[in-house]
Amino acid sequence: MWGWLVVAVLIDIEGVDGAGKGTQSRRLVERIRASGRSCALVGFPRYDATWFGRAVGRFLNGAFGQLDDVHPFLVSLLFAGDRFESREELARALATHDVVVLDRYVASNKAHQGAKASGPERLELVAAIDHLEHGLYGLPRPDRVILLDLAVSTAQELVGRKAARSYTEKAADLQEADGPYLEKVASLYRELAAGDASWRVVGCEQAGALRDIECIGDEIWRLASELLPGAAS
Ligand code: ADP
Ligand code: MG
C-alpha cells in the first residue's frame, strides 16, 4: 500500500525545452541542502524508470507518428501514466525530506498537450489533465511553480548545447525541433502562470541577452526560500 504523507514543500521548475530547468533544479537542490535542509530531486519524464516513461521516449522519437499524428489527449495519458507509476517514489520523497524539487511535473503536460489544441478545446485539455493527475491519480499539487521564461529561439540554441540523452539519438527530439509548436507551449505556460497564484515567472533574458546561470539561480532561490521551513515570513 502507498499513501501520501506530505511533509516536504513541493517546488516545480517549468519551462520550454532548453529553458534551463535541469541546470536550475540541480542548483536549487544544492542550495537548499547547503542551507541545512534535506532535499530530493525528481525529474519527469522518467524515461528509463517507468513503462510509461519508455513509451514517452518512443513518442518523442516519432515511433507513433509525427507530433500532430497523435491526439494530444492520448499523448497526455502517457506523461500522466509516468507519474502514476512514480507515485510511491514521490510519496516516499515527500514523506522523508524538507523539500522536493521537481524538474517538470503536471504543468508540463498541460502546457505541452494544451498547446496542440485551440479554442475551447485548449482549456478543456488543461482541465482534463488536472482532473486525471491531481484528481484521479491523487498527485499532490506543488506549493510553488517557477516558470523559466525566455524566447523560444534562445531556448532552442541551448538545446543544441545539451549532452546526449538516453531516450533519443537525435540532437533535438520531435518537440524540441518544432519552433512554432514551442511558441504555443511558451504562451500557454504564461497563461497558466497568470491564472494561478502559486506560479512565479522568472525572466531569463534581459535586454535580449541571456542572464547568467548564477543570477537566475539567485532569483529562483529567493522565490523558493520564502516557502522553506524555518524561513522568516
Ligand atoms: P532544460 O532542462 O530546461 O531543457 P538545461 O538545464 O538542460 O535545460 O539547459 C540546456 C543547456 O543550456 C545546458 O547545456 C545548460 O548548461 C545551458 N544553460 C542553461 N541556462 C543557461 C544560461 N542562463 N546561460 C547559459 N547557458 C545556459
Ligand atoms: Mg531538462
Side-chain angles (χ1 to χ4, degrees), residues 16-23 103 158-159 161-162 210-213 216:
V16 296
D17 305 287
K21 299 177 298 298
T23 306
D103 174 359
L158 294 182
V159 168
R161 295 189 203 167
K162 285 194 195 191
L210 196 58
R211 292 168 65 200
D212 291 347
I213 289 177
I216 296 167

Side-chain angles (χ1 to χ4, degrees), residues 51-53 55-56 70-85 109 113 125 128-129 132-133 136-137:
W51 184 85
F52 274 106
V56 165
V70 196
H71 194 284
F73 176 69
L74 296 179
V75 176
S76 78
L77 304 183
L78 301 184
F79 286 90
D82 176 38
R83 275 180 285 276
F84 179 74
E85 268 187 276
N109 210 3
Q113 305 322 317
L125 209 43
I129 291 167
L132 173 63
E133 300 216 43
L136 295 178
Y137 290 170

Side-chain angles (χ1 to χ4, degrees), residues 5-8 38-40 89-100:
L5 173 70
V6 178
V7 173
S38 64
C39 184
E89 181 162 328
L90 190 56
R92 206 176 309 122
L94 283 163
T96 55
H97 293 84
D98 296 321
V99 188
V100 174

Side-chain angles (χ1 to χ4, degrees), residues 12-17 21-22 25 41-61 75-86 89 102-109 112-113 133 162 165-168 173 175-176 181 189:
D12 175 24
I13 309 290
E14 293 285 342
V16 296
D17 305 287
K21 299 177 298 298
S25 53
L41 174 63
V42 181
F44 293 101
R46 299 177 69 218
Y47 300 108
D48 303 314
T50 67
W51 184 85
F52 274 106
R54 278 189 292 281
V56 165
R58 295 181 62 210
F59 163 72
L60 292 174
N61 260 319
V75 176
S76 78
L77 304 183
L78 301 184
F79 286 90
D82 176 38
R83 275 180 285 276
F84 179 74
E85 268 187 276
S86 306
E89 181 162 328
L102 298 160
D103 174 359
R104 288 197 181 283
Y105 193 48
V106 179
S108 281
N109 210 3
H112 277 270
Q113 305 322 317
E133 300 216 43
K162 285 194 195 191
R165 268 83 47 87
S166 61
Y167 69 94
T168 185
D173 69 34
Q175 290 185 171
E176 290 166 346
Y181 163 64
Y189 261 133

